[in-house]
Amino acid sequence: MGCSSSKEPGVRGIQMENANTTVQKDSSETPETARLIEEGQVQLVKSSQPLLATSGNKETQKIIDRLTAGEDFETHKWRCFFNPDMAYYSLSPFARLTVEMVEARNLIPSVTSSFESYLGDEPDGFVKVYVDDCFKYSTSCINNDRNPQWNDTQVFDIVADKSIVRLHVYDSDSHDNSTLIDPIGFVEFCIADIPFDQVIDGWLELRFPGNLQGINTDRYAEHMAQREEEMQTPMPTKPSIEQDDSNNPAPKAKSKKKEAADPADAYKVEAAKIKTSFTNRMFKRIRAGSNKMMGRVEEPPPDTQFNAGEIHVRMKLERCVSENTALFAKALVPSCMTFATFIQEEFLPKLDVQELLDDALDLKIEIVDEMFFAVAAFFSYVLAWRSIMVSGLLFICVMSGAKSSMLVYGFWHLWLALVLVLLKFDSWRLPMTTNGYNAPLNQEGLQLIAQCRDVNEMYYYLIRMVQSRMGVINSMQELVHFAGTIVQGDGELTVTFDQLMKALRDLWFLDFASGSNHLEVDTLVRVHDRRRGTVTKIHVDKTKPEGNPHRQKIEVDFDEKDFQDPSMKGTFDAWDVSVRPSVPSIPRFLVPKTILSLVSTLQFEADAAKKAILPYAEGLRAFFRWKKPKWMALVLLVLLFRAYISFEGFLDEHSWCHIAIRVMTILRNVLLGVLVLFVLFGQAKIWKVGRGLILLAVSKTCESRQAPDCWKFYKPPNVPYRVTEKPKAE
């Protein structure tokens, strides 16, 4: 049995003979600190699981002990309100958790090589204990046993009532459990759910290590509500045949559709194959054959588990302080670690790299193209005086400043109201917000760019047309000159979008690979260079000649819904559908682990950014496109009312409008002042005290220490292990 400690800052602990807090002096105390301790000004308490110096140097250990010793919780309890962040790290614990790790059963072997995959491997199991994702203790290792017994009892210190304890079982291939270890499974529980002074004895279900994702509170809430074996949604244990195809991008689409239909997360593990040794498999076949000859029916043991096993623990939570003082621990928010998404190797590199590329392009289209370029196009529209009404009213607003500020406010709010009204109509909104960077790649988009009467906008549009068909531009100057010849007169077009695309394919300074836009069933595509989807069917009209863009009708299943068009299917002409960039398949053994780790990190960050940003971006776009008419009507009423009282106030110096303007100005200043105060004093001590009081009140009101009744992952000690059979496919 060994005890090791991490180098991360740990939670302070307490070590005492009774429930009363005592002061423990350390031999490394300085004379000044010793004097303060004797005078009662400083009380330090040692940790029950101290950090250990890896060198074993006693002087260094004294320094570490001094740094990690916590100040007495009872004496400094008000710090939980005035400085909760510092209190979490500097105070001694308010409670001690005694945990006895008795045994485990049916542990999943950690297979790390093809040799072990064939012969099977019995795990050499040991348990690591983490408090708020900070390592505290490690048990001894039991070799070659899926049902190890440790009978190890330890005491752990708890500072925050919301702390999460994690028991993580590992498989060791080293003598000291420090290197060559592989995770088997883990279980987490929250201190706030454990009743004081009651013994909890039973089996806790172990989750698969691949599910150690996100933050501990989310993982705990998920596991507390449902056992892993109840999900019964196993992911494939080997790559599918389609994913092994390195030339056709279609397989990714098939696997993606399966992923969308499956409620399970593609990056989580919810089933595992049990690898047995060659000898065990041989004897199992002999036994099965003899039973069949003698007419006996024996149910074979299942070789699939829907959890990583179970661990038997006994635990008891005891206060180190008085009951009233313990309430202050509810105001503390413990720190935790965010684990990146664990990407299973069978999905790498194609599936996840492709998903990463798609997410990055979605962010670029939705944020850069649809928002930033749209704003830039609007400013260009106004400054180019493409609408006398819009630009003229803004000019009047500016010039009226020479007469009166009341007129400026009136014309300004009237101009804003006019712009919002025009955005409701496509005939106005599209020309105002479209340029060469974001115009749709179809006949409508080409017509909008022609109305700009700008060679640069047409040039950027042609570049996007070439890139959407995987073309290469050999001479940019030739393309600029060609862009200038497309529009004639006052924004008139002499060719259609289909004719223009056909002409581009025959220009000497543009190269298109043969078959680069070849469409077939299951090809990954984008429609109008926007929504991504998968080709499901191709209809060919043989009455039309070869090369006619309307000869083929493409049916597409979209990957995600769009707020403008919630339908998930559509039929389009071949020119409207382009093959989206696809990542070529590379054998996994050729991809370094550093690259796989980088893909995992980037995928997690891109997915998080997409979930955090896109809903707000879509909501903003929906507002300006009148998808939320009630809010838009309210904003219009405010703008028109503000414009009216400005004009009325200009005409009548004694009108009631001046009072209304003052009131509206005061309301505006109050809102801005509240916002500024929130930004400047959001981290001030008074806000932290208020937050602590709210947390204390809510926790006290909603407190329900009902463990283990609230734990779905708990079983009483006398309940046997049962493997849930995999449900039959309908």
Side-chain angles (χ1 to χ4, degrees), residues 336-356:
C336 63
M337 178 178 178
T338 301
F339 290 87
T341 301
F342 181 86
I343 299 181
Q344 303 302 318
E345 290 186 359
E346 56 264 21
F347 297 107
L348 284 172
K350 183 177 179 54
L351 176 61
D352 298 302
V353 177
Q354 181 65 46
E355 191 70 19
L356 173 62

Side-chain angles (χ1 to χ4, degrees), residues 500-514:
L500 178 60
M501 180 61 72
K502 187 175 181 179
L504 291 175
R505 287 183 173 275
D506 278 342
L507 294 177
W508 68 267
F509 51 86
L510 300 177
D511 288 335
F512 293 88
S514 59

